[in-house]
Amino acid sequence: MRELKGVSHNIENPILGVISTKPPRIFGSRNTIQMIAPDKPGKLRSRATAFIVGDGAECPKGSRAIVQVAKEQLSFIHAGDVVLLEPDGRIKFLYEIESPHNSLLLTHRCNCRCVMCPQGPCDDMPDLMKTNYAILDLISPKTEHLGLTGGEPTLLEDELVEFIRACRQKFPRMLLTLLTNGRKLRDLEFSKNIAKAGFPNLMIEIPLYADNDREHDRVMGAAGSFYDTIAGLRNLALIRQPVGLRTVLHRLTIGRLTQYAEFVYRNLPFVSHVAFMGMETHGLAAKNLDELWVDPYDYQEYLYTAVKHLVRRNVSVSIYNLQLCILPKELWQFARRSISTWKVSYLPFCDQCKMKTECCGLFATGIRHSSFLKKIN
Amino acid sequence: MNKSYTLLPFRFGRFPGATVLVVNETGDFQFLPTELFDQLISYRLDHRSAEFLDLKGKHFVTDTEIEPVIELLATKYRTRKAFLTNFTALHIVVVTLRCNQKCNYCHASSQPQEAKRWDMNRETAINTTKMIMETPSPIVKIEFQGGEPLLNFDIVKLIIKTAKEINIKKQKDLSFVVCTNLTLITEEVLKYLRNEKVLISTSLDGPQKIHDLHRRMRDGSSSYEKFVKNLELSRKILAPEEISSLVTITRDSLGKMTEVVDEYIRQGFCSIFLRPINPYGYARLEHVQKLVDYPIEDFVDAYKKVLPYIIDLNLKGMRIEECFTSLLLTRILTPFSTGFVDLQSPSGAGISGAVYDYNGDVYPADEGRMLAKMGDRTFFMGNVNRDPYARVFNSNFLRDLISKSCLETLPGCHSCVFQAYCGSDPIRNYAIQGTMIGHRPTSGFCFMHKEIFKYLFEILRQDSPDYMDVFWSWITKRPLESIRMRPCANLKASRIT
């Protein structure tokens, strides 16, 4: 997630709040973090929980919680953002009002060990879900889309169902996207509960990496996961829950991509779309890079053939995380600007590329990128 | 023997070039060089090889779990056979046997225009409609045939009105088609059809010289000019997709299929259905047979010649779909269910389609009615004025008919590599071969389908991008442009292992 670094005063424990440019209006309203810019002096005796103050502006007096930041940084903070102020002065953005891809991380735990996982599983802080409920209370009622991700969110079991229900109650029409490996969805009752809680606008996104158990399980680092996920997918089809598939492109998946496409069409024709994703070379993917790396330039033909296979069959296709300069022109129409604003970076020559505004850019976190990136004239 | 994998059920057939086609119960298929096929069936195929994974991904083999693979196959099988869950959807109503034309190949054994005793009466029409609407199927299509249904149009209107009234409660997906030669159509009739959302299915055999050869008015005069004039009128009132046409291929048109296709395009049709002439009705009379019939081999040859022509027309921007090809390809290339009463397993006779004769007699298919007309009432299921729905549609006779139409149990079909895509026609077997089960080695029906399947699989094996684009535009009912992606010239084609 995006972070800014400032200097903190009087912050002993992390403070969660929603950014506002004005003092909170309602008496006793909590969790407001008031932003004060040098050219827009705020009311310093406000009831705000904390303040973010641009250098050069006057600070509230007394023992108020404050993070001071360079005044240029203020333009990256927007009223409506939900942030966490850390004692060390970091501002963590948990929800960005301007971003179309806000997600809540529900757990770090996972029942798989994917070879290219960008984050890698770990244990959760005990109050993670409490924080998520608090965020849910603070985010804008106009939010159109919210992702639920992990780790593996289904490990929360009934707690996940409860949380989806809470999302739905607060935002009756918002699109919720649940990212899960689908293994635990092989329990039909659990699938039903999730679908019911998220109705009418829940999309479940499931990674599937091969047309056979051997290769899929190897990528997932978990024996038996292929048939668990297949059973989960069948349950979702049975209850007519919309579901999308995604696969990540690397050495273990690229060679049989068309067979993968055929498998999906023949066995899972109910999926709403299939996403082909460039690999984020971070986390375990960075660690296993020698085993996994194929320059995206070198796998164009595989990708083209698989995409064409699905397009002919009227299956909706997206390509994520691949730069336009290393995609055949014919595939541009499927490429999405999939890298979140806070994660994206560009190379110096990207500024001269006429396709920059259409391109997804690169993962700032990635340790290796294609050697064939170039500007498009 | 130490087996490192398990074979799952499949059928196979040998192709030229030392190739074997394998097809499983759910229509997944793969071409294998004979050598690999031999390795496969003798458990010598290397289970780490790419070829093994291809077969595993398509559920021909498994080297790990078996049960979840069976589950996947079962789901696919259910999906492909989904047409069975609804029961009878297509209901053909013969509202009159009278016709103002006298085509010498007539399937329907038409009667002179004045002979009103061959009209369906009001009581029969209402009882027919009631019986149709009793079907458990949520989808109901009522098709008016004849004779020429426009000669008894009040009954057509009565059935449409009655069906719509019943449907207020039943809430089925209800649609209507009127099969007419168009020569009697008027603006008033067309406006009625438009308002009631009734589709037109007509007949066009080709350009005038071919069309008029067999499709004559009762007085022997040309029908073509009337047809063309009224088609023009119809197009002013109905949308292009609301008017379709069927072609009857006679020995006169067999060698001129490209002219027939051109005529279809000239008259604004976007589909054509190539099928051989049916051996029923007047077409069965010996003197007529001499005039119109031909060996089935000739039809297959003509089909193979004209299909590439049709595909090329599509590639040149003229949209025309060959419906028979597109039906078979849908079965070969997609996981979806395709009911087609004349070619499904079990047969669609009675359970997918039914025919109601002018006098209320019910038959499982038009061919059954034809046989009755010629004195053999084997396929008579009951009468709408005398018998309740259950007696007509839940009879031992119908059960017996259906049980004799499952390809899995029919000699010859049981091991045929094309079984997953084919179907049976017990009534045709009975009419031509004397038994509902039939005899495949001497069956023209079987010969034709096998030849066409072989031909289509050869095309699929060649995998020409242009052909495949056209095929998929037909299968998915989309314009060709939405499917075509320009081939990429400078693709990096490195082998990734």
PDB file of all heavy atoms in Angstrom, chain A residues 264-287:
ATOM      1  N   VAL A 264     -10.499 -24.215 -19.945  1.00  0.00           N
ATOM      2  CA  VAL A 264     -11.447 -23.280 -19.330  1.00  0.00           C
ATOM      3  C   VAL A 264     -12.749 -23.266 -20.131  1.00  0.00           C
ATOM      4  O   VAL A 264     -13.847 -23.367 -19.579  1.00  0.00           O
ATOM      5  CB  VAL A 264     -10.831 -21.864 -19.254  1.00  0.00           C
ATOM      6  CG1 VAL A 264     -11.889 -20.829 -18.893  1.00  0.00           C
ATOM      7  CG2 VAL A 264      -9.692 -21.843 -18.241  1.00  0.00           C
ATOM      8  N   TYR A 265     -12.625 -23.180 -21.467  1.00  0.00           N
ATOM      9  CA  TYR A 265     -13.826 -23.091 -22.294  1.00  0.00           C
ATOM     10  C   TYR A 265     -14.660 -24.363 -22.208  1.00  0.00           C
ATOM     11  O   TYR A 265     -15.882 -24.328 -22.125  1.00  0.00           O
ATOM     12  CB  TYR A 265     -13.427 -22.826 -23.748  1.00  0.00           C
ATOM     13  CG  TYR A 265     -14.603 -22.705 -24.675  1.00  0.00           C
ATOM     14  CD1 TYR A 265     -15.502 -21.653 -24.533  1.00  0.00           C
ATOM     15  CD2 TYR A 265     -14.829 -23.636 -25.674  1.00  0.00           C
ATOM     16  CE1 TYR A 265     -16.601 -21.530 -25.375  1.00  0.00           C
ATOM     17  CE2 TYR A 265     -15.919 -23.525 -26.528  1.00  0.00           C
ATOM     18  CZ  TYR A 265     -16.798 -22.472 -26.369  1.00  0.00           C
ATOM     19  OH  TYR A 265     -17.884 -22.362 -27.196  1.00  0.00           O
ATOM     20  N   ARG A 266     -13.986 -25.494 -22.209  1.00  0.00           N
ATOM     21  CA  ARG A 266     -14.715 -26.761 -22.218  1.00  0.00           C
ATOM     22  C   ARG A 266     -15.312 -27.132 -20.869  1.00  0.00           C
ATOM     23  O   ARG A 266     -16.372 -27.731 -20.788  1.00  0.00           O
ATOM     24  CB  ARG A 266     -13.771 -27.901 -22.639  1.00  0.00           C
ATOM     25  CG  ARG A 266     -13.465 -27.935 -24.113  1.00  0.00           C
ATOM     26  CD  ARG A 266     -14.550 -28.682 -24.855  1.00  0.00           C
ATOM     27  NE  ARG A 266     -14.174 -28.914 -26.237  1.00  0.00           N
ATOM     28  CZ  ARG A 266     -14.921 -29.618 -27.093  1.00  0.00           C
ATOM     29  NH1 ARG A 266     -16.044 -30.161 -26.695  1.00  0.00           N
ATOM     30  NH2 ARG A 266     -14.541 -29.781 -28.325  1.00  0.00           N
ATOM     31  N   ASN A 267     -14.553 -26.802 -19.823  1.00  0.00           N
ATOM     32  CA  ASN A 267     -14.972 -27.272 -18.502  1.00  0.00           C
ATOM     33  C   ASN A 267     -15.595 -26.194 -17.633  1.00  0.00           C
ATOM     34  O   ASN A 267     -16.350 -26.503 -16.726  1.00  0.00           O
ATOM     35  CB  ASN A 267     -13.782 -27.881 -17.754  1.00  0.00           C
ATOM     36  CG  ASN A 267     -13.281 -29.134 -18.438  1.00  0.00           C
ATOM     37  OD1 ASN A 267     -13.812 -30.206 -18.226  1.00  0.00           O
ATOM     38  ND2 ASN A 267     -12.265 -28.988 -19.290  1.00  0.00           N
ATOM     39  N   LEU A 268     -15.245 -24.944 -17.885  1.00  0.00           N
ATOM     40  CA  LEU A 268     -15.724 -23.864 -17.032  1.00  0.00           C
ATOM     41  C   LEU A 268     -16.338 -22.750 -17.881  1.00  0.00           C
ATOM     42  O   LEU A 268     -15.981 -21.585 -17.747  1.00  0.00           O
ATOM     43  CB  LEU A 268     -14.553 -23.301 -16.195  1.00  0.00           C
ATOM     44  CG  LEU A 268     -13.672 -24.345 -15.493  1.00  0.00           C
ATOM     45  CD1 LEU A 268     -12.370 -23.720 -15.013  1.00  0.00           C
ATOM     46  CD2 LEU A 268     -14.420 -24.959 -14.313  1.00  0.00           C
ATOM     47  N   PRO A 269     -17.253 -23.108 -18.787  1.00  0.00           N
ATOM     48  CA  PRO A 269     -17.744 -22.094 -19.734  1.00  0.00           C
ATOM     49  C   PRO A 269     -18.564 -21.001 -19.064  1.00  0.00           C
ATOM     50  O   PRO A 269     -18.904 -20.024 -19.707  1.00  0.00           O
ATOM     51  CB  PRO A 269     -18.624 -22.908 -20.690  1.00  0.00           C
ATOM     52  CG  PRO A 269     -19.049 -24.094 -19.918  1.00  0.00           C
ATOM     53  CD  PRO A 269     -17.930 -24.405 -18.963  1.00  0.00           C
ATOM     54  N   PHE A 270     -18.830 -21.165 -17.770  1.00  0.00           N
ATOM     55  CA  PHE A 270     -19.647 -20.181 -17.064  1.00  0.00           C
ATOM     56  C   PHE A 270     -18.841 -18.996 -16.561  1.00  0.00           C
ATOM     57  O   PHE A 270     -19.412 -18.039 -16.058  1.00  0.00           O
ATOM     58  CB  PHE A 270     -20.352 -20.858 -15.881  1.00  0.00           C
ATOM     59  CG  PHE A 270     -19.407 -21.674 -15.028  1.00  0.00           C
ATOM     60  CD1 PHE A 270     -18.655 -21.087 -14.034  1.00  0.00           C
ATOM     61  CD2 PHE A 270     -19.258 -23.045 -15.263  1.00  0.00           C
ATOM     62  CE1 PHE A 270     -17.775 -21.840 -13.260  1.00  0.00           C
ATOM     63  CE2 PHE A 270     -18.380 -23.811 -14.503  1.00  0.00           C
ATOM     64  CZ  PHE A 270     -17.629 -23.204 -13.501  1.00  0.00           C
ATOM     65  N   VAL A 271     -17.506 -19.026 -16.679  1.00  0.00           N
ATOM     66  CA  VAL A 271     -16.735 -17.916 -16.102  1.00  0.00           C
ATOM     67  C   VAL A 271     -16.984 -16.634 -16.888  1.00  0.00           C
ATOM     68  O   VAL A 271     -17.141 -16.646 -18.103  1.00  0.00           O
ATOM     69  CB  VAL A 271     -15.219 -18.211 -16.007  1.00  0.00           C
ATOM     70  CG1 VAL A 271     -14.954 -19.418 -15.147  1.00  0.00           C
ATOM     71  CG2 VAL A 271     -14.585 -18.363 -17.374  1.00  0.00           C
ATOM     72  N   SER A 272     -17.017 -15.511 -16.164  1.00  0.00           N
ATOM     73  CA  SER A 272     -17.334 -14.228 -16.808  1.00  0.00           C
ATOM     74  C   SER A 272     -16.157 -13.691 -17.601  1.00  0.00           C
ATOM     75  O   SER A 272     -16.341 -12.984 -18.566  1.00  0.00           O
ATOM     76  CB  SER A 272     -17.710 -13.170 -15.787  1.00  0.00           C
ATOM     77  OG  SER A 272     -18.452 -13.707 -14.765  1.00  0.00           O
ATOM     78  N   HIS A 273     -14.955 -13.945 -17.140  1.00  0.00           N
ATOM     79  CA  HIS A 273     -13.801 -13.496 -17.914  1.00  0.00           C
ATOM     80  C   HIS A 273     -12.553 -14.243 -17.459  1.00  0.00           C
ATOM     81  O   HIS A 273     -12.547 -14.890 -16.413  1.00  0.00           O
ATOM     82  CB  HIS A 273     -13.599 -11.984 -17.796  1.00  0.00           C
ATOM     83  CG  HIS A 273     -13.115 -11.553 -16.451  1.00  0.00           C
ATOM     84  ND1 HIS A 273     -13.963 -11.155 -15.455  1.00  0.00           N
ATOM     85  CD2 HIS A 273     -11.871 -11.460 -15.951  1.00  0.00           C
ATOM     86  CE1 HIS A 273     -13.252 -10.856 -14.387  1.00  0.00           C
ATOM     87  NE2 HIS A 273     -11.987 -11.030 -14.652  1.00  0.00           N
ATOM     88  N   VAL A 274     -11.521 -14.134 -18.282  1.00  0.00           N
ATOM     89  CA  VAL A 274     -10.237 -14.754 -17.973  1.00  0.00           C
ATOM     90  C   VAL A 274      -9.177 -13.662 -18.051  1.00  0.00           C
ATOM     91  O   VAL A 274      -9.109 -12.937 -19.043  1.00  0.00           O
ATOM     92  CB  VAL A 274      -9.905 -15.878 -18.968  1.00  0.00           C
ATOM     93  CG1 VAL A 274      -8.534 -16.481 -18.673  1.00  0.00           C
ATOM     94  CG2 VAL A 274     -10.975 -16.959 -18.931  1.00  0.00           C
ATOM     95  N   ALA A 275      -8.377 -13.540 -17.011  1.00  0.00           N
ATOM     96  CA  ALA A 275      -7.324 -12.523 -17.001  1.00  0.00           C
ATOM     97  C   ALA A 275      -5.957 -13.194 -17.082  1.00  0.00           C
ATOM     98  O   ALA A 275      -5.675 -14.144 -16.345  1.00  0.00           O
ATOM     99  CB  ALA A 275      -7.425 -11.682 -15.735  1.00  0.00           C
ATOM    100  N   PHE A 276      -5.142 -12.721 -18.020  1.00  0.00           N
ATOM    101  CA  PHE A 276      -3.752 -13.170 -18.124  1.00  0.00           C
ATOM    102  C   PHE A 276      -2.884 -12.087 -17.491  1.00  0.00           C
ATOM    103  O   PHE A 276      -2.934 -10.930 -17.908  1.00  0.00           O
ATOM    104  CB  PHE A 276      -3.367 -13.373 -19.587  1.00  0.00           C
ATOM    105  CG  PHE A 276      -4.138 -14.464 -20.265  1.00  0.00           C
ATOM    106  CD1 PHE A 276      -5.219 -14.182 -21.080  1.00  0.00           C
ATOM    107  CD2 PHE A 276      -3.778 -15.799 -20.079  1.00  0.00           C
ATOM    108  CE1 PHE A 276      -5.934 -15.193 -21.707  1.00  0.00           C
ATOM    109  CE2 PHE A 276      -4.486 -16.823 -20.703  1.00  0.00           C
ATOM    110  CZ  PHE A 276      -5.562 -16.518 -21.511  1.00  0.00           C
ATOM    111  N   MET A 277      -2.111 -12.463 -16.488  1.00  0.00           N
ATOM    112  CA  MET A 277      -1.404 -11.451 -15.706  1.00  0.00           C
ATOM    113  C   MET A 277       0.107 -11.580 -15.818  1.00  0.00           C
ATOM    114  O   MET A 277       0.665 -12.659 -15.594  1.00  0.00           O
ATOM    115  CB  MET A 277      -1.803 -11.574 -14.226  1.00  0.00           C
ATOM    116  CG  MET A 277      -3.308 -11.436 -14.017  1.00  0.00           C
ATOM    117  SD  MET A 277      -3.821 -11.921 -12.360  1.00  0.00           S
ATOM    118  CE  MET A 277      -3.009 -10.656 -11.403  1.00  0.00           C
ATOM    119  N   GLY A 278       0.738 -10.457 -16.153  1.00  0.00           N
ATOM    120  CA  GLY A 278       2.187 -10.410 -16.078  1.00  0.00           C
ATOM    121  C   GLY A 278       2.597 -10.576 -14.616  1.00  0.00           C
ATOM    122  O   GLY A 278       1.855 -10.213 -13.704  1.00  0.00           O
ATOM    123  N   MET A 279       3.777 -11.153 -14.388  1.00  0.00           N
ATOM    124  CA  MET A 279       4.194 -11.477 -13.018  1.00  0.00           C
ATOM    125  C   MET A 279       4.833 -10.273 -12.342  1.00  0.00           C
ATOM    126  O   MET A 279       5.657  -9.587 -12.932  1.00  0.00           O
ATOM    127  CB  MET A 279       5.190 -12.642 -13.080  1.00  0.00           C
ATOM    128  CG  MET A 279       5.729 -13.085 -11.736  1.00  0.00           C
ATOM    129  SD  MET A 279       6.650 -14.639 -11.889  1.00  0.00           S
ATOM    130  CE  MET A 279       8.032 -14.145 -12.917  1.00  0.00           C
ATOM    131  N   GLU A 280       4.441 -10.030 -11.089  1.00  0.00           N
ATOM    132  CA  GLU A 280       5.091  -8.997 -10.288  1.00  0.00           C
ATOM    133  C   GLU A 280       6.338  -9.636  -9.677  1.00  0.00           C
ATOM    134  O   GLU A 280       6.238 -10.569  -8.874  1.00  0.00           O
ATOM    135  CB  GLU A 280       4.131  -8.517  -9.190  1.00  0.00           C
ATOM    136  CG  GLU A 280       4.698  -7.434  -8.310  1.00  0.00           C
ATOM    137  CD  GLU A 280       3.715  -6.973  -7.229  1.00  0.00           C
ATOM    138  OE1 GLU A 280       2.584  -7.500  -7.170  1.00  0.00           O
ATOM    139  OE2 GLU A 280       4.102  -6.100  -6.432  1.00  0.00           O
ATOM    140  N   THR A 281       7.500  -9.170 -10.078  1.00  0.00           N
ATOM    141  CA  THR A 281       8.742  -9.835  -9.642  1.00  0.00           C
ATOM    142  C   THR A 281       9.145  -9.322  -8.266  1.00  0.00           C
ATOM    143  O   THR A 281      10.092  -8.561  -8.096  1.00  0.00           O
ATOM    144  CB  THR A 281       9.868  -9.600 -10.656  1.00  0.00           C
ATOM    145  OG1 THR A 281       9.934  -8.210 -10.953  1.00  0.00           O
ATOM    146  CG2 THR A 281       9.612 -10.378 -11.929  1.00  0.00           C
ATOM    147  N   HIS A 282       8.376  -9.767  -7.291  1.00  0.00           N
ATOM    148  CA  HIS A 282       8.538  -9.288  -5.933  1.00  0.00           C
ATOM    149  C   HIS A 282       8.192 -10.452  -5.009  1.00  0.00           C
ATOM    150  O   HIS A 282       7.491 -11.374  -5.410  1.00  0.00           O
ATOM    151  CB  HIS A 282       7.578  -8.104  -5.716  1.00  0.00           C
ATOM    152  CG  HIS A 282       7.686  -7.495  -4.356  1.00  0.00           C
ATOM    153  ND1 HIS A 282       8.812  -6.828  -3.932  1.00  0.00           N
ATOM    154  CD2 HIS A 282       6.804  -7.443  -3.323  1.00  0.00           C
ATOM    155  CE1 HIS A 282       8.610  -6.398  -2.697  1.00  0.00           C
ATOM    156  NE2 HIS A 282       7.411  -6.756  -2.307  1.00  0.00           N
ATOM    157  N   GLY A 283       8.653 -10.415  -3.789  1.00  0.00           N
ATOM    158  CA  GLY A 283       8.312 -11.471  -2.843  1.00  0.00           C
ATOM    159  C   GLY A 283       8.890 -12.811  -3.279  1.00  0.00           C
ATOM    160  O   GLY A 283      10.037 -12.911  -3.717  1.00  0.00           O
ATOM    161  N   LEU A 284       8.026 -13.862  -3.234  1.00  0.00           N
ATOM    162  CA  LEU A 284       8.509 -15.187  -3.618  1.00  0.00           C
ATOM    163  C   LEU A 284       8.876 -15.241  -5.098  1.00  0.00           C
ATOM    164  O   LEU A 284       9.777 -15.985  -5.492  1.00  0.00           O
ATOM    165  CB  LEU A 284       7.448 -16.242  -3.310  1.00  0.00           C
ATOM    166  CG  LEU A 284       7.180 -16.515  -1.828  1.00  0.00           C
ATOM    167  CD1 LEU A 284       6.081 -17.559  -1.673  1.00  0.00           C
ATOM    168  CD2 LEU A 284       8.460 -16.979  -1.130  1.00  0.00           C
ATOM    169  N   ALA A 285       8.194 -14.436  -5.913  1.00  0.00           N
ATOM    170  CA  ALA A 285       8.525 -14.411  -7.345  1.00  0.00           C
ATOM    171  C   ALA A 285       9.963 -13.952  -7.530  1.00  0.00           C
ATOM    172  O   ALA A 285      10.686 -14.473  -8.392  1.00  0.00           O
ATOM    173  CB  ALA A 285       7.569 -13.482  -8.084  1.00  0.00           C
ATOM    174  N   ALA A 286      10.394 -13.006  -6.742  1.00  0.00           N
ATOM    175  CA  ALA A 286      11.783 -12.528  -6.833  1.00  0.00           C
ATOM    176  C   ALA A 286      12.735 -13.619  -6.361  1.00  0.00           C
ATOM    177  O   ALA A 286      13.778 -13.888  -6.963  1.00  0.00           O
ATOM    178  CB  ALA A 286      11.946 -11.263  -6.005  1.00  0.00           C
ATOM    179  N   LYS A 287      12.322 -14.288  -5.290  1.00  0.00           N
ATOM    180  CA  LYS A 287      13.164 -15.338  -4.741  1.00  0.00           C
ATOM    181  C   LYS A 287      13.323 -16.506  -5.726  1.00  0.00           C
ATOM    182  O   LYS A 287      14.404 -17.066  -5.886  1.00  0.00           O
ATOM    183  CB  LYS A 287      12.523 -15.847  -3.433  1.00  0.00           C
ATOM    184  CG  LYS A 287      13.449 -16.630  -2.552  1.00  0.00           C
ATOM    185  CD  LYS A 287      12.778 -16.956  -1.221  1.00  0.00           C
ATOM    186  CE  LYS A 287      13.308 -18.289  -0.730  1.00  0.00           C
ATOM    187  NZ  LYS A 287      12.271 -19.183  -0.242  1.00  0.00           N
TER     188      LYS A 287
END
